């Protein structure tokens, strides 16, 4: 019995045969997919949590809101030209949300005019926590690793409360400072101090969070109603600076 020969039979066999070229192609495709997965994962974990971007209701802000209402302002720091009296540009003033060592990030500034409260988020990562806890022998399981202050002009503000959050390797502190008269300040900065090294001259970070040259925007409180005191607000332990 004779069988007919069809060339495409050989083509089918070639397609079934596994070759080094096919292996290399699959590896390249897998690497490309992995790169995209890691990229989107990195973007996802670097975005701030919902709490880190939220307005935090305190007893003072709830009381003021129920009385006559409150005005909450926000500001995003951006590059602007610093000019002299004649309008000549002296320099371009720029800001960075990240500290110079990359361990800290500040974001989501808010200010309540009626209660004189500044709300700001500071984020740090596991590497930062390990570095400072080991360097100054701090047991982070028994309390906070950092305490914070605000400075503006000749003023230093040390009274604050906070709420905490975390995502993957990041730790968030949503800080609420009191007694700040924003209209009197040109700029304002936040400092973080490791509790094992409480020296005003040696902050772990010192970052600008407000500049009066940049316009503020009114926050729509509808997204944060009803006005109810956040039950997770904490008060930092008393510490004594050198």
């Amino acid at each position: 019995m004779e069988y007919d020969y069809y060339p495409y039979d050989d083509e089918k066999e070639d397609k079934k045969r596994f070759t080094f070229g096919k292996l290399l192609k699959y590896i390249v495709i897998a690497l490309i997919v992995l790169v995209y997965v890691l990229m989107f994962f990195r973007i996802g974990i670097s975005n701030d949590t919902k709490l880190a971007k939220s307005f935090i209701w305190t007893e003072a802000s709830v009381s003021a809101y129920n009385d006559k209402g409150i005005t909450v302002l926000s500001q995003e720091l951006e590059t602007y030209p610093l000019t002299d009296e004649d309008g000549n540009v002296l320099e371009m003033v720029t800001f960075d949300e990240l500290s110079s060592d990359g361990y800290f990030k500040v974001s989501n500034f808010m200010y309540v005019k009626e209660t004189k409260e500044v709300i700001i988020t500071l984020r740090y990562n596991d590497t930062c926590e390990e570095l400072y806890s080991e360097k100054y022998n701090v047991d982070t399981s028994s309390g906070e690793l950092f305490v914070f202050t605000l400075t503006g002009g000749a003023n230093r503000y040390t009274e604050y409360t906070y709420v905490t959050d975390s995502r993957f390797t990041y730790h968030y502190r949503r800080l609420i400072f009191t007694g700040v008269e924003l209209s009197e300040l040109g700029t304002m900065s936040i400092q973080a101090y490791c509790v094992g090294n409480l020296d005003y001259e040696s902050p772990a970070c010192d970052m600008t969070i407000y500049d009066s040259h940049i316009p503020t925007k009114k926050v729509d409180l509808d997204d944060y109603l009803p006005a109810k005191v956040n039950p997770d607000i904490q008060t930092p332990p008393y510490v004594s600076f050198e």
Side-chain angles (χ1 to χ4, degrees):
M1 180 181 294
E2 295 184 0
Y3 294 91
D4 294 330
Y5 172 75
Y6 296 97
Y8 60 77
D9 288 339
D10 290 340
E11 295 178 6
K12 291 182 180 179
E13 290 298 323
D14 290 339
K15 290 180 180 179
K16 293 180 180 179
R17 191 177 301 118
F18 193 80
T19 64
F20 177 76
K22 289 181 179 180
L23 174 62
L24 183 61
K25 181 179 72 173
Y26 295 146
I27 292 176
V28 171
I29 293 173
L31 289 175
I32 293 174
V33 171
L34 178 61
V35 168
Y36 275 99
V37 168
L38 292 176
M39 181 176 65
F40 285 114
F41 176 76
R42 183 65 178 176
I43 293 173
I45 66 173
S46 63
N47 289 332
D48 290 333
T49 65
K50 182 178 179 180
L51 178 68
K53 297 181 285 187
S54 295
F55 177 73
I56 306 299
W57 289 101
T58 64
E59 290 185 2
S61 59
V62 169
S63 177
Y65 178 83
N66 291 333
D67 183 16
K68 295 182 179 179
I70 58 176
T71 300
V72 181
L73 304 176
S74 67
Q75 183 186 76
E76 293 185 11
L77 294 178
E78 56 189 26
T79 300
Y80 70 87
L82 183 64
T83 59
D84 59 20
E85 296 180 354
D86 299 324
N88 299 313
V89 176
L90 301 176
E91 63 175 310
M92 296 299 293
V93 180
T94 59
F95 303 92
D96 196 338
E97 288 186 333
L98 287 175
S99 59
S100 58
D101 56 18
Y103 290 143
F104 298 92
K105 177 189 174 184
V106 291
S107 61
N108 303 299
F109 170 89
M110 293 183 184
Y111 178 72
V112 188
K113 294 179 65 175
E114 290 74 14
T115 60
K116 300 181 181 180
E117 293 174 321
V118 166
I119 305 174
I120 187 72
T121 293
L122 187 140
R123 186 191 79 185
Y124 59 93
N125 56 32
D126 282 345
T127 301
C128 174
E129 184 174 51
E130 293 171 3
L131 173 66
Y132 281 93
S133 60
E134 292 178 3
K135 183 176 181 179
Y136 297 108
N137 193 28
V138 178
D139 181 7
T140 56
S141 64
S142 61
E144 288 289 290
L145 177 60
F146 298 105
V147 292
F148 309 94
T149 65
L150 282 184
T151 55
N155 303 312
R156 183 183 294 275
Y157 306 94
T158 59
E159 298 293 325
Y160 72 93
T161 53
Y162 65 97
V163 291
T164 68
D165 203 0
S166 62
R167 173 183 285 171
F168 297 103
T169 62
Y170 292 118
H171 307 267
Y172 294 87
R173 297 295 180 268
R174 188 72 165 144
L175 307 167
I176 308 104
F177 286 86
T178 59
V180 182
E181 186 58 71
L182 196 65
S183 61
E184 299 177 357
L185 303 178
T187 61
M188 186 161 47
S189 301
I190 188 170
Q191 298 78 37
Y193 298 91
C194 179
V195 295
N197 183 40
L198 294 174
D199 180 0
Y200 282 140
E201 301 300 320
S202 304
C205 77
D206 187 352
M207 305 174 68
T208 301
I209 62 170
Y210 169 80
D211 192 305
S212 61
H213 292 89
I214 300 173
T216 56
K217 298 179 181 179
K218 188 174 180 179
V219 175
D220 185 358
L221 287 176
D222 289 343
D223 296 333
Y224 307 108
L225 294 176
K228 184 178 180 181
V229 177
N230 189 305
D232 299 320
I233 291 177
Q234 303 179 52
T235 301
Y238 172 78
V239 294
S240 177
F241 280 81
E242 296 179 5

